[in-house]
Amino acid sequence: MSTPLLQILDVTAGFGATTVLHGVSIDVPEGSIAGIFGLNGAGKSVTLKTVAGVVPARSGQVLLDGEDITRWGPEKRVARGMGHIPQGRQVFPELTVEENLRLGAYTLRRRDRSRYAASLDAVYDRFPVLRERRSQLAGTMSGGQQASLCVGRALINQPRLVLVDEPSAGLSPVAALELREVLRDVAATGVTMVLVEQNIAFGLSLVDTAHLMQTGTVVHSSPVGDLDDATLATHLGIGSVLGAATSRMLSSRATPEPPKKGKPRVRRTA
Ligand SMILES: Nc1ncnc2c1ncn2[C@@H]1O[C@H](COP(=O)(O)OP(=O)(O)O)[C@@H](O)[C@H]1O
Ligand SMILES: [Mg+2]
């Protein structure tokens, strides 16, 4: 098997005397979307931050394409193809759309100005609404438009790996569906993603693998098709009843049972 694009190997991290991550390990194959799910405070955002280099790993390793980047600063990680869309859509509200994109492209502009111009154009092609509103103050746009701006700001560096922290939070259902299409499009261009979501149904509709976190450790990892209601309910500690939308999404994505040997297969007509 080829080396996963991202490997989080037994990472611990914390703040002061508090340890938050107690040895997190997650492999993310190139071209896939990995989902991290867990209750509030489980350590999902801190995990993404150790990958982005915003929170240092105290032990363990983060490997990008097999290279140990554990001690790299965030800027070097961005320059090497990592994009981070932090929780809470942190656009600069008093800056225009284009100024926000320019700031996102800080490292790219320093390295290669002509590539920046082409990349800005590519982001505007993907998000015509951002081109239309390039001079508008970001803080005056709708939640969905700000979400597009955050994705655009990450894409402008032409990343290979994008970390997305709760992109659907606070969006209207319609805006969330639009955002889902955007993220699918991005993944379809071959960009690898790590997605953290509180909205489990939304997250499950996007990801290839599911990693369930509880109090700073990964308690379950599997392809999303092998995840069942009971596993999800047990590890997310939400009792035995999942929301109907989550259950529906799980069964729609379930890997079909292999046909049993010896029995004639019955073709189901819908
Ligand atoms: N900057 C920080 N300083 C101290 N504790 C923090 C900090 N950031 C997160 N934590 C703690 O780490 C734990 C995990 O947080 P986080 O990763 O943000 O959870 P979530 O899974 O909801 O994203 C929580 O108990 C949180 O209070
Ligand atoms: Mg979080």
Side-chain angles (χ1 to χ4, degrees):
M1 246 176 71
S2 60
T3 312
L5 181 62
L6 174 70
Q7 288 169 282
I8 307 172
L9 296 173
D10 205 16
V11 162
T12 68
F15 305 90
T18 315
T19 302
V20 170
L21 302 185
H22 304 270
V24 168
S25 297
I26 293 175
D27 276 359
V28 185
E30 178 143 37
S32 71
I33 308 183
I36 304 180
F37 305 101
L39 295 183
N40 241 334
K44 307 180 297 296
S45 294
V46 173
T47 299
L48 288 195
K49 286 175 183 172
T50 61
V51 175
V54 183
V55 169
R58 287 181 171 169
S59 66
Q61 288 178 302
V62 179
L63 306 184
L64 184 66
D65 217 0
E67 186 170 10
D68 188 344
I69 65 166
T70 318
R71 306 279 160 243
W72 291 12
E75 194 177 308
K76 187 169 177 187
R77 301 186 197 207
V78 170
R80 290 293 187 89
M82 205 186 278
H84 184 203
I85 306 176
Q87 201 171 337
R89 275 191 284 293
Q90 296 167 15
V91 301
F92 296 95
E94 306 290 338
L95 298 182
T96 66
V97 166
E98 188 148 316
E99 285 163 346
N100 269 275
L101 292 171
R102 280 170 65 89
L103 278 177
Y106 166 74
T107 51
L108 176 63
R109 283 196 301 136
R110 233 180 27 182
R111 279 177 294 138
D112 189 341
R113 282 196 160 270
S114 63
R115 217 174 109 199
Y116 165 66
S119 187
L120 181 64
D121 235 30
V123 168
Y124 281 151
D125 287 346
R126 190 190 287 272
F127 300 103
V129 66
L130 297 184
R131 177 178 271 130
E132 274 163 35
R133 293 169 185 262
R134 64 208 293 171
S135 305
Q136 184 173 333
L137 297 185
T140 65
M141 297 202 301
S142 72
Q145 290 160 352
Q146 290 188 25
S148 299
L149 177 56
C150 290
V151 178
R153 191 169 58 185
L155 291 184
I156 204 157
N157 289 302
Q158 302 165 345
R160 302 171 68 189
L161 172 70
V162 177
L163 316 169
V164 200
D165 201 345
E166 304 213 8
S168 79
L171 292 185
S172 71
V174 171
L177 288 180
E178 282 171 13
L179 179 71
R180 183 166 77 182
E181 289 318 302
V182 165
L183 295 175
R184 279 199 177 132
D185 283 354
V186 173
T189 64
V191 174
T192 307
M193 263 190 244
V194 183
L195 175 75
V196 165
E197 260 301 335
Q198 280 286 343
N199 181 340
I200 314 271
F202 178 94
L204 291 176
S205 73
L206 274 166
V207 303
D208 300 301
T209 54
H211 305 272
L212 309 185
M213 279 189 81
Q214 240 174 10
T215 54
T217 50
V218 176
V219 290
H220 173 94
S221 290
S222 73
V224 66
D226 295 350
L227 193 62
D228 57 38
D229 289 38
T231 308
L232 201 54
T234 303
H235 293 307
L236 297 191
I238 43 182
S240 54
V241 184
L242 294 176
T246 303
S247 283
R248 269 200 308 276
M249 185 54 68
L250 264 185
S251 42
S252 79
R253 300 225 45 200
T255 309
E257 294 271 332
K260 295 212 173 73
K261 281 203 183 111
K263 276 190 187 166
R265 269 203 271 168
V266 181
R267 183 188 294 261
R268 287 225 182 96
T269 49

